[in-house]
Amino acid sequence: MSHAVNKPRSQPKIDAATEQLIKITQSNAPMTFLQQIKDQKHGIVTPGEERILRDLVNKRVFPNEVLNLLVYQILVVEKHSTLNQNLISTIADDWSQKHVSSAQDAINALRNRGKERAEKTTRRYPKKRINVKETLPDWAKQPRKSQPKQSKQGLSPEQKKQLEQQLNQLKKQK
């Protein structure tokens, strides 16, 4: 009898900073974690943020480390100044559907979310270059007739002499 061996899913390698972040998210309660981030950003925890986080904790859908990564993503990575109920609900619902249950799962979901967003943008705005050949309207093609063309040679000797006489007369009048 042969038994199928369940291989663990291969986890992408994480760097030291990510490992440190995971340790911090695992060792802090969500309100404490939120307060620490707000302190670092020189901000305050708003009553709305407290309510949003309290509601998520009370639902008991995610462990604290996942909630903390959610807070970190919104406030630090995406650089929002406050927690936004709609954004939190969207990400939390997505994670719930993907069965995110640990900090590592949350990090993988965030990485995949970034890739998915980039793919959607590429699909929505493909990099097609469209060449448009523009033609001038008829009125722009016609030469201007208002000014007579001047010769490229400059003033003739007679014109120079006449100009000097006029300048001398103006000097005498002063």
Side-chain angles (χ1 to χ4, degrees):
M1 228 192 301
S2 65
H3 294 288
V5 177
N6 289 337
K7 292 182 181 178
R9 281 187 272 158
S10 62
Q11 300 290 334
K13 293 183 180 179
I14 55 174
D15 57 13
T18 306
E19 282 184 33
Q20 183 66 28
L21 176 63
I22 290 172
K23 287 179 184 174
I24 293 170
T25 61
Q26 291 172 336
S27 63
N28 285 293
M31 287 303 250
T32 305
F33 186 78
L34 174 62
Q35 184 65 54
Q36 289 173 348
I37 290 177
K38 287 296 194 155
D39 288 345
Q40 287 179 356
K41 293 177 80 174
H42 305 289
I44 60 167
V45 177
T46 66
E49 290 173 315
E50 288 178 359
R51 181 180 31 78
I52 291 168
L53 205 50
R54 189 175 47 248
D55 290 348
L56 276 174
V57 169
N58 289 339
K59 286 182 183 179
R60 299 184 191 276
V61 176
F62 302 113
N64 289 347
E65 65 191 74
V66 173
L67 294 177
N68 289 342
L69 274 170
L70 179 58
V71 168
Y72 180 84
Q73 174 68 20
I74 292 171
L75 295 179
V76 178
V77 177
E78 295 185 14
K79 298 179 182 172
H80 290 273
S81 60
T82 60
L83 296 178
N84 176 305
Q85 178 67 53
N86 292 335
L87 183 56
I88 291 235
S89 297
T90 300
I91 297 172
D93 181 57
D94 182 51
W95 287 4
S96 178
Q97 291 176 28
K98 292 178 179 172
H99 306 288
V100 171
S101 60
S102 69
Q104 183 63 50
D105 290 345
I107 287 171
N108 293 338
L110 289 171
R111 287 178 179 163
N112 291 336
R113 182 173 182 253
K115 290 176 188 174
E116 290 170 1
R117 289 172 85 184
E119 287 173 5
K120 282 182 183 179
T121 302
T122 304
R123 273 187 264 133
R124 194 176 311 148
Y125 305 108
K127 295 179 181 178
K128 291 183 182 178
R129 183 172 256 180
I130 300 171
N131 291 330
V132 178
K133 187 174 182 179
E134 296 182 9
T135 57
L136 288 174
D138 292 337
W139 61 266
K141 293 178 186 176
Q142 298 172 354
R144 294 185 183 178
K145 298 178 182 177
S146 60
Q147 296 179 350
K149 290 184 180 179
Q150 296 180 352
S151 67
K152 293 182 181 179
Q153 298 173 356
L155 298 174
S156 67
E158 293 174 3
Q159 290 173 326
K160 287 181 182 179
K161 192 173 191 178
Q162 186 181 6
L163 184 59
E164 285 178 23
Q165 287 174 354
Q166 289 175 347
L167 287 172
N168 289 333
Q169 285 177 0
L170 286 173
K171 289 179 183 176
K172 289 178 186 175
Q173 290 177 358
K174 288 184 179 179

